[in-house]
Amino acid sequence: MAAAVAAAPGVLGYLHAGGARLVAACSAWLCPGLRLPGSLAGRRVGPAIWAQGWVPAAGGPAPKRGYSSEMKTEDELRVRHLEEENRGADLKERAKMSSSEVGPFVSKIRAVINDIANLPVPTIAAIDGLALGGGLELALACDIRIAASSAKMGLVETKLAIIPGGGGTQRLPRTIGMSLAKELIFSARVLDGQEAKAVGLISHVLEQNQEGDAAYRKALDLAREFLPQGPVAMRVAKLAINQGMEVDLVTGLAIEEACYAQTIPTKDRLEGLLAFKEKRPPRYKGE
């Protein structure tokens, strides 16, 4: 998998990385001069991450190789998709690195994955092929994971005499429980979609279609369910859940109260009430 981007309100953005894609709903910023192929546009409201494979817009700078968590802005966002054949770390490239180079390289990957986890919009990982090592770590940083039954995923680093370095040792236990996470990491076991669903690693599993994008299509359908909701509410709901899961219940309820308070003065809340009264779809503006 690669990095993530989100589209404007009412629009979907997605990245394609080999056999896995990431779909995001709501709005984001891109680096100046960098655009994805496509024609969807909308105003900016939040940060986006970029990585190797970005396509420069006319007159823009050439894309850099490697990974970055640098945040920059652009007035207009056009999103369709980014294609990249990166299912995890490039082991041939890694083998050429000196010991002093490996640490900083992995730190940059970890920073990108952390930034994706902290995106203030819902993110969905659609796994239609391989998500091994860093590919699965990126999927674990997403809010929801969907896979085809034929997909393959696992944290296989111990087979290479290393450990997951992009958050896998922390996010996998939080997702499926400590004991099972240890079993999978210690064994470097690779799961298919059905096995991943059985252990709670993914939310949905689908039979693969002839186009090879069954999980991606399901992710788009799910993302479209998210799009009509209030942007501010979606952002603080994600914040409340993520922070609340790291603390005790009493503290978590206090976090929820603080997040709820952020929605009270918004124009979107008043629009939601008015739309309900008038029995029409709300017209949210993210404010």
Side-chain angles (χ1 to χ4, degrees), residues 178-190:
M178 183 184 298
S179 180
L180 189 51
K182 287 180 177 178
E183 180 180 331
L184 295 182
I185 291 174
F186 293 167
S187 65
R189 188 180 304 158
V190 175

Side-chain angles (χ1 to χ4, degrees), residues 189-209:
R189 188 180 304 158
V190 175
L191 306 179
D192 62 26
Q194 294 290 353
E195 292 168 328
K197 178 66 167 62
V199 301
L201 180 55
I202 61 176
S203 301
H204 303 274
V205 59
L206 304 97
E207 290 299 319
Q208 188 57 279
N209 57 29

Side-chain angles (χ1 to χ4, degrees), residues 17-247:
R21 310 190 196 200
L22 188 146
V23 178
C26 285
S27 206
W29 295 354
L30 282 178
C31 304
L34 295 179
R35 298 191 181 195
L36 301 181
S39 59
L40 303 181
R43 65 191 182 90
R44 61 188 186 184
V45 299
I49 317 303
W50 63 278
Q52 62 177 5
W54 290 106
V55 179
K64 296 180 180 179
R65 178 172 175 76
Y67 300 83
S68 173
S69 59
E70 182 180 358
M71 303 291 190
K72 296 184 179 180
T73 65
E74 184 177 79
D75 290 333
E76 187 181 55
L77 174 64
R78 295 182 181 274
V79 178
R80 188 173 179 189
H81 71 283
L82 170 67
E83 298 188 10
E84 185 188 340
E85 295 299 322
N86 178 21
R87 298 175 177 90
D90 185 340
L91 298 183
K92 292 181 180 180
E93 182 180 29
R94 184 76 64 84
K96 299 177 182 178
M97 294 182 180
S98 65
S99 297
S100 61
E101 292 176 315
V102 173
F105 179 80
V106 174
S107 293
K108 290 181 180 180
I109 295 176
R110 186 183 303 114
V112 170
I113 293 176
N114 286 342
D115 282 336
I116 291 169
N118 292 326
L119 277 173
V121 295
T123 53
I124 306 168
I127 305 170
D128 278 304
L130 298 177
L132 304 176
L136 181 55
E137 287 179 303
L138 179 54
L140 286 166
C142 297
D143 300 313
I144 300 165
R145 285 162 296 283
I146 298 171
S149 57
S150 58
K152 302 295 182 182
M153 63 203 82
L155 297 180
V156 297
E157 286 85 352
T158 54
K159 186 178 295 185
L160 302 172
I162 56 176
I163 69 171
T169 63
Q170 303 305 304
R171 293 192 175 96
L172 187 62
R174 285 167 166 80
T175 302
I176 65 173
M178 183 184 298
S179 180
L180 189 51
K182 287 180 177 178
E183 180 180 331
L184 295 182
I185 291 174
F186 293 167
S187 65
R189 188 180 304 158
V190 175
L191 306 179
D192 62 26
Q194 294 290 353
E195 292 168 328
K197 178 66 167 62
V199 301
L201 180 55
I202 61 176
S203 301
H204 303 274
V205 59
L206 304 97
E207 290 299 319
Q208 188 57 279
N209 57 29
Q210 291 184 348
E211 292 76 19
D213 63 354
Y216 171 62
R217 290 180 182 274
K218 174 65 176 179
L220 286 181
D221 289 341
L222 189 57
R224 290 188 181 102
E225 290 187 48
F226 300 162
L227 285 173
Q229 320 314 329
V232 176
M234 296 291 279
R235 183 173 69 247
V236 296
K238 178 172 178 174
L239 180 65
I241 295 169
N242 286 354
Q243 292 193 355
M245 289 302 294
E246 302 299 323
V247 298

